[in-house]
Amino acid sequence: MSNLRTLVFFATPAHECSYLPDREATTMFVDPRADVDKRLYSQLTALGFRRSGSHYYRPHCEHCNACVPVRLKVNEFQPDRSQRRVLRKNSDIECRLVPATFQERYYQLYAHYIEERHWDGDMYPPSRDQFISFLVEGATDSWFVEMTRDGELIGLAALDMLDDGISAIYTVFSPEMEHRSLGTFAILWQIEEAQRRQLPHLYLGYWISECRKMNYKTRFRPIEALRDGHWREMDTD
């Protein structure tokens, strides 16, 4: 079994940054041959790593530190007025936690979401192999949250259970349901699930101050940022 002392890391060549124009990015990966169990994955997450399928990675850019790992302290979280409104609006949605496996209906929702909302991004065009390699492969203690209304699947959130929290991986939803703010609803549900399991943190991935699409993360408070190897509460006012 691998541990932090025995892990080998690799860095990619510089490539175009997916978030900030006119910048190059470098990514550090854990050796894909490493045997990463839940304990090691939890340690890596606390060090700022994320999981994409079988790959564990974090930004490793020479001249840029814009990507900041963030996590929410769930026991101190209190929803604001807007978030309470989202909860009320979606009180008719049933959420069910199921193992992260491939189902055609999951893929169809995923594909529709990518085609409508991310047709100009790295994940377009979607494919079944892409869905599996991103959200199913490499699963350790990995789950999907099915969001259904009147029996219809309208949202799907992928998450990983860690020793000290939940890692929010990705959320897709029917574009026709955009008015329901299902992305926010999925995070609120995961906060409640972490509280139910007495897990202190919800890891929300990376936050970039210059990237508007990531602004939503700082609306969940209190939120901590990993800087210089230490988790510190962010001033989001």
Side-chain angles (χ1 to χ4, degrees):
M1 187 65 63
S2 301
N3 57 59
L4 285 176
R5 293 184 178 181
T6 62
L7 283 181
V8 176
F9 299 90
F10 298 99
T12 66
H15 54 275
E16 183 178 348
C17 180
S18 301
Y19 299 105
L20 299 176
D22 305 322
R23 296 200 195 181
E24 289 190 330
T26 302
T27 305
M28 177 188 293
F29 281 93
V30 173
D31 185 344
R33 295 169 295 184
D35 186 6
V36 179
D37 62 3
K38 182 177 178 179
R39 179 173 179 271
L40 180 54
Y41 177 24
S42 300
Q43 292 173 331
L44 286 167
T45 302
L47 292 172
F49 282 78
R50 295 287 286 169
R51 183 180 73 86
S52 176
S54 302
H55 300 289
Y56 300 85
Y57 70 93
R58 67 168 298 170
H60 189 64
C61 305
E62 185 175 0
H63 302 295
C64 179
N65 58 1
C67 293
V68 180
V70 292
R71 69 185 186 186
L72 180 70
K73 299 166 71 174
V74 300
N75 293 327
E76 299 177 33
F77 171 76
Q78 294 291 333
D80 62 21
R81 180 181 301 176
S82 174
Q83 291 159 349
R84 291 195 298 270
R85 187 162 54 245
V86 169
L87 289 170
R88 289 194 300 270
K89 186 187 302 182
N90 294 294
S91 61
D92 59 340
I93 290 180
E94 179 182 352
C95 293
R96 188 167 71 104
L97 201 60
V98 298
T101 58
F102 178 86
Q103 289 191 25
E104 181 63 22
R105 65 191 184 114
Y106 296 163
Y107 170 70
Q108 290 299 329
L109 180 66
Y110 169 87
H112 186 37
Y113 177 84
I114 298 297
E115 289 166 351
E116 292 294 324
R117 294 179 61 93
H118 295 288
W119 54 267
D120 58 345
D122 296 341
M123 299 173 69
Y124 183 88
S127 69
R128 288 170 180 80
D129 287 344
Q130 177 196 69
F131 177 91
I132 292 169
S133 65
F134 177 29
L135 298 177
V136 177
E137 287 183 354
T140 301
D141 192 353
S142 306
W143 302 84
F144 289 155
V145 182
E146 290 183 354
M147 291 174 267
T148 58
R149 179 175 179 268
D150 297 330
E152 177 188 1
L153 182 69
I154 62 172
L156 191 73
L159 61 88
D160 289 337
M161 296 294 177
L162 305 173
D163 290 341
D164 69 333
I166 292 175
S167 178
I169 302 297
Y170 200 64
T171 299
V172 301
F173 53 83
S174 173
E176 292 76 20
M177 297 290 174
E178 184 173 5
H179 64 284
R180 283 181 170 266
S181 303
L182 290 179
T184 296
F185 177 69
I187 293 176
L188 292 169
W189 189 93
Q190 289 173 80
I191 291 170
E192 292 178 352
E193 182 66 13
Q195 292 169 341
R196 284 191 288 270
R197 293 172 179 257
Q198 299 184 324
L199 296 170
H201 303 119
L202 176 64
Y203 289 87
L204 294 174
Y206 301 114
W207 171 76
I208 301 174
S209 63
E210 300 173 53
C211 185
R212 291 182 58 191
K213 67 175 65 175
M214 294 189 179
N215 287 347
Y216 75 91
K217 297 184 181 184
T218 57
R219 298 183 191 132
F220 296 89
R221 306 174 185 180
I223 195 165
E224 295 181 314
L226 181 63
R227 300 182 189 274
D228 300 322
H230 299 281
W231 288 98
R232 298 186 177 93
E233 192 167 319
M234 293 174 59
D235 182 3
T236 55
D237 294 326

